[in-house]
Amino acid sequence: MNFETAAIHVGQSPEPATGAIIPPIYATSTYAQLGPGETRGYDYTRSGNPNFTNLEQTLCALEGAEHATVFATGMSAITAVISTLSTGDLVIAEENIYGCTFRIYDEVFAKFGVKIEYCDLTDPANFDRIRNRSPQLVWIESPTNPLLKILDIQTIADEAHSAGAALVVDNTFASPYFQKPLALGADISLSSTTKYINGHSDCLGGVVLCRDSAWHEKMVFAQKAIGLNPSPFDAWLISRGVKTLAVRMQKHADNALAFAHYLEQHPSTAFVRYPHLPSHPHHELACRQMSGGSGMVAAEFDLSLEQTQRLLSRFKVFALAESLGGIESLVSHPPTMSHASIPREQRETVGIRDGLIRFSVGIEHVDDLIADFDQALD
Ligand SMILES: *Cc1c(COP(=O)(O)O)cnc(C)c1O
């Protein structure tokens, strides 16, 4: 079944009792048992709910996974994966990952003795780190947040596997429409479903996808044991949102490419990053690994911190807000917003400077987005 069809039909059969075309919201904490310990497949919503099952089936189909486990947020999905580690275990991570992923490693799991080392995994010279340090996990994102670096998932998966490690890919920025990490060799593909998968900025969620049943059992255990489950209503909303993922992603990518082209020729721009722009340093890999460039654009402008902040507060169509991947365009300032929790020095060494702006390009008419940028800059 093709992606567009699976997004609408898998996990979304009409409800058998009434024929309702849309499965209802199973707003229940518990389930009547047939006899003691004899269930119809569900016993308590922390460990399962039909709305979770429906969404898990859809997301498995979209990414070609064997197993999916849904969580309350992207950070819950990340927590579930890290919770499988023990004191003394090591993670080698790309240095340009999501700000809250840094924070959960450095300020939460470090207290329990989980070790993490960061390096630039776009540079093959750093693959030695994977070979020499025997990590349990290698942790990457591609495209990265906010600089949209592209990492070679297949090569890094091979490196991780030859070192006996599992590769975790945070696929939030690409979405399963443009990139399928499991098919490229990753052991785990996780996403914040808050972003493109839901797409409507009206709830939070996360998912872990894998092929291996041992990983799946660990995720089901973490959902139940730590209490990382979503609400049935949020799972239902995400099931509704994901049905239009294909058409949304196509429009996000068309708009983002046009917007990136416009910024690139603008005299105030120092550089623009968009994976499918020929000027992107990893353009060839991006075209090989992702079937489209997705909707995120990063650009650095020749502006001071104060000028950048003034520019950011003048957009009228783009909303100044955290998050990404919704139908409405958003603009954000990584140094003072999503990446403010990273110490300034560490932030600047990875290239997040004061003039950097991140655009989550929505599905409005692109001419209105370009006009909005022009009036804000004026
Ligand atoms: C937003 C995001 C997360 C965290 O997801 P939440 O749903 O906000 O908890 C993780 N990784 C990436 C790349 C993100 O953009």
Side-chain angles (χ1 to χ4, degrees):
M1 196 183 279
N2 288 296
F3 190 100
E4 291 81 347
T5 316
I8 293 167
H9 292 288
V10 175
Q12 290 289 300
S13 309
E15 193 260 328
T18 62
I21 201 80
I22 300 300
I25 305 168
Y26 291 86
T28 187
S29 57
T30 191
Y31 305 84
Q33 303 201 356
L34 300 164
E38 197 189 331
T39 71
R40 298 171 177 87
Y42 299 97
D43 60 7
Y44 190 60
T45 281
R46 177 151 38 75
S47 53
N49 178 286
N51 294 117
F52 306 173
T53 310
N54 294 347
L55 179 58
E56 287 166 351
Q57 287 173 352
T58 316
L59 296 178
C60 269
L62 296 187
E63 217 167 307
E66 294 296 322
H67 307 285
T69 315
V70 291
F71 294 97
T73 63
M75 289 315 299
S76 310
I78 289 169
T79 299
V81 175
I82 306 176
S83 76
T84 64
L85 299 175
S86 304
T87 301
D89 284 354
L90 174 70
V91 180
I92 302 274
E94 157 58 30
E95 66 182 9
N96 185 204
I97 52 173
Y98 180 64
C100 300
T101 308
F102 277 111
R103 187 172 57 193
I104 197 169
Y105 271 114
D106 294 349
E107 295 182 37
V108 180
F109 283 96
K111 291 191 295 187
F112 301 96
V114 171
K115 292 184 281 183
I116 185 155
E117 293 177 5
Y118 302 101
C119 58
D120 176 5
L121 288 172
T122 59
D123 181 358
N126 285 327
F127 294 164
D128 280 354
R129 296 276 282 271
I130 300 174
R131 280 178 227 138
N132 300 338
R133 302 281 293 127
S134 328
Q136 268 64 39
L137 297 180
V138 175
W139 193 289
I140 65 171
E141 293 173 16
S142 187
T144 66
N145 180 29
L147 289 167
L148 309 174
K149 297 197 305 185
I150 305 296
L151 280 71
D152 187 337
I153 297 173
Q154 194 148 25
T155 303
I156 296 171
D158 292 344
E159 292 288 344
H161 295 155
S162 60
L167 176 66
V168 180
V169 178
D170 183 330
N171 200 39
T172 303
F173 271 44
S175 90
Y177 184 67
F178 286 129
Q179 178 169 277
K180 296 182 175 56
L182 299 177
L184 295 166
D187 301 277
I188 287 187
S189 169
L190 66 85
S191 286
S192 167
T193 54
T194 310
K195 316 292 171 53
Y196 287 111
I197 289 175
N198 180 52
H200 293 73
S201 309
D202 51 11
C203 70
L204 286 85
V207 66
V208 173
L209 298 152
C210 60
R211 272 165 291 144
D212 177 29
S213 55
W215 268 115
H216 180 235
E217 280 165 29
K218 291 181 197 178
M219 294 302 100
V220 171
F221 176 81
Q223 186 196 56
K224 170 166 66 177
I226 314 179
L228 301 172
N229 60 287
S231 78
F233 179 50
D234 286 353
W236 183 90
L237 274 177
I238 296 165
S239 284
R240 187 174 73 156
V242 77
K243 288 176 185 160
T244 54
L245 186 61
V247 281
R248 283 188 284 111
M249 292 317 296
Q250 199 56 60
K251 180 76 172 166
H252 280 296
D254 290 349
N255 278 358
L257 182 62
F259 188 66
H261 270 302
Y262 180 78
L263 292 182
E264 190 159 54
Q265 53 73 47
H266 202 283
S268 62
T269 311
F271 68 78
V272 180
R273 287 283 177 274
Y274 181 69
H276 282 219
L277 266 190
S279 61
H280 191 289
H282 316 127
H283 176 65
E284 186 267 333
L285 171 61
C287 293
R288 189 152 35 90
Q289 188 167 277
M290 303 169 71
S291 58
S294 205
M296 301 302 294
V297 176
E300 191 175 302
F301 297 93
D302 295 318
L303 299 173
S304 67
L305 176 61
E306 201 258 320
Q307 288 171 319
T308 311
Q309 287 177 321
R310 215 148 20 106
L311 168 65
L312 282 161
S313 58
R314 292 196 177 169
F315 285 96
K316 291 178 178 152
V317 178
F318 280 93
L320 176 60
E322 300 278 11
S323 200
L324 64 117
I327 51 178
E328 62 285 294
S329 292
L330 303 179
V331 65
S332 79
H333 188 228
T336 55
M337 295 170 64
S338 56
H339 291 64
S341 62
I342 305 170
R344 186 188 191 92
E345 200 180 311
Q346 194 183 344
R347 208 163 64 211
E348 292 190 344
T349 33
V350 302
I352 303 171
R353 287 182 288 270
D354 288 345
L356 186 74
I357 294 182
R358 190 188 82 175
F359 299 90
S360 173
V361 180
I363 64 170
E364 302 95 337
H365 198 293
V366 71
D367 292 350
D368 294 325
L369 303 179
I370 289 172
D372 193 36
F373 173 77
D374 282 343
Q375 70 75 29
L377 196 68
D378 277 351

